[in-house]
Amino acid sequence: MARFNYIALDARGVQSAGVLEANTSNEVVAHLRQSGYFPTSVSEEGKGPAPKAAAKKDKSIQATAKPIAKRGAKPKGVANRSIKTKTLMIFTRQLATLIDAGL
């Protein structure tokens, strides 16, 4: 069995990373989905980028999943500014037009 690094999101949108042992990456994806996670990246250990929070040698997702970012945390360089109501209204109308157009 090979070891696979993964990055996944839970139902709240919190990003987790870890390591699972499986025969293929498809098995890892299936296992993560069964556990309620939404995989965003799966790569074989030693091939491809490793997740930032590498997990220890434990097969269970609960033991290997580590949060990478807190929910609601702002990225670096984002100021505490609010969006103007008019700008939000224009954006919402344009988004609705795009959705109606099927994009």
Side-chain angles (χ1 to χ4, degrees), residues 3-6 17-21 45 53-61 63-66:
R3 294 173 53 89
F4 291 89
N5 295 318
Y6 70 87
V19 178
L20 286 175
E21 287 188 16
E45 195 170 54
K56 298 186 181 183
K57 295 181 180 181
D58 194 349
K59 291 182 184 178
S60 69
I61 293 176
T64 61
K66 296 182 181 180

Side-chain angles (χ1 to χ4, degrees), residues 40-55:
T40 57
S41 172
V42 175
S43 62
E44 192 170 351
E45 195 170 54
K47 297 179 182 177
K52 291 180 182 177

Side-chain angles (χ1 to χ4, degrees), residues 5-79:
N5 295 318
Y6 70 87
I7 298 174
L9 299 174
D10 65 4
R12 293 182 177 173
V14 177
Q15 194 173 33
S16 301
V19 178
L20 286 175
E21 287 188 16
N23 291 325
T24 65
S25 62
N26 290 339
E27 288 181 10
V28 174
V29 170
H31 183 70
L32 289 169
R33 286 185 179 161
Q34 275 184 334
S35 301
Y37 287 89
F38 304 97
T40 57
S41 172
V42 175
S43 62
E44 192 170 351
E45 195 170 54
K47 297 179 182 177
K52 291 180 182 177
K56 298 186 181 183
K57 295 181 180 181
D58 194 349
K59 291 182 184 178
S60 69
I61 293 176
Q62 291 78 17
T64 61
K66 296 182 181 180
I68 293 177
K70 293 181 181 178
R71 183 177 174 93
K74 292 186 178 181
K76 292 181 183 178
V78 175

